[in-house]
Amino acid sequence: MHDRPFIIGYLAALWDGEGTVYAKFHETGRVQLRSARVSMQDIGCIEFAALALKLLGIAFRRYTTPITEKRKKPMYIISIQRAEALKKFQELIPLQHREKAMKLRGLISSRAPGTRCGICGVTREETTRGCTACARRKSNKGKGRFGTVDA
C-alpha cells in the first residue's frame, strides 16, 4: 500500500477538486446535516478514497445513487458526517481550497458543545425571535441547574 503522505495528498487533492463541504438546513433554520463529501462516477477513485479514509481512521458513509433517465451511470458517493470524523479529517487533510477549508472549520466549530443553540444555531450570546430554546435560555439566565445561582 502507499505511504501516509501519499494517502493524505490524494485525499486533499480529491476533496479540493471534486469534493464539497456543506450544511443542509431544516426549514426551522436548524442545521440538519453537516457533510464533507465526494461524488463521482469513477468507482476506482471512490474505492481508493474509501481505503485511504479507513487507513487514516476517519469514519465515513459510502453509497451509490441509482441509474436514472438523465444519468446513465451510477454515482458513487463518500460522505463524512460525524463530528469526530469531520474534526479528524480537518486535522489530517490539508485542504488548499480556501472556501472549503473555511466551511469545514465552520462546521466543526458549530458542533462544539455549548457554543450554539441546538435549534436555530446562533451563538449562545445571541437569541432568535420565535426560537423556543433561545426563549428558555433567556428566561433561565442567572439560574443554575437547580435554581438561582448566588454570585
Side-chain angles (χ1 to χ4, degrees):
M1 188 62 205
H2 300 284
D3 60 348
R4 188 178 171 96
F6 177 84
I7 290 170
I8 289 171
Y10 177 83
L11 290 173
L14 184 63
W15 251 270
D16 279 337
E18 296 291 330
T20 59
V21 177
Y22 70 95
K24 180 179 175 184
F25 292 90
H26 191 268
E27 59 204 28
T28 61
R30 181 179 181 188
V31 176
Q32 188 174 13
L33 172 71
R34 293 168 177 88
S35 177
R37 107 183 209 173
V38 169
S39 58
M40 56 182 13
Q41 293 179 339
D42 185 345
I43 192 164
C45 287
I46 293 296
E47 285 177 350
F48 188 78
L51 179 61
L53 289 168
K54 274 184 193 171
L55 290 172
L56 294 174
I58 299 172
F60 63 93
R61 286 184 59 218
R62 180 178 162 184
Y63 52 98
T64 306
T65 61
I67 297 171
T68 64
E69 286 278 328
K70 289 183 181 180
R71 190 174 41 247
K72 302 297 181 195
K73 292 182 177 180
M75 188 69 75
Y76 304 101
I77 301 165
I78 288 181
S79 181
I80 302 168
Q81 297 174 353
R82 292 188 169 164
E84 58 275 359
L86 286 167
K87 187 171 175 117
K88 190 168 191 177
F89 182 81
Q90 182 199 26
E91 290 168 357
L92 294 176
I93 311 302
L95 295 180
Q96 299 301 304
H97 192 285
R98 220 177 284 164
E99 188 178 323
K100 290 177 187 178
M102 276 182 18
K103 282 183 181 180
L104 185 59
R105 276 194 303 276
L107 291 183
I108 292 166
S109 67
S110 70
R111 280 264 218 226
T115 59
R116 299 222 175 240
C117 175
I119 294 180
C120 67
V122 299
T123 62
R124 293 288 180 178
E125 295 78 36
E126 302 172 285
T127 57
T128 302
R129 180 178 284 170
C131 175
T132 56
C134 287
R136 195 173 333 117
R137 194 171 59 250
K138 192 174 180 180
S139 69
N140 289 336
K141 202 165 194 121
K143 297 179 183 175
R145 185 170 173 194
F146 301 105
T148 305
V149 175
D150 295 324

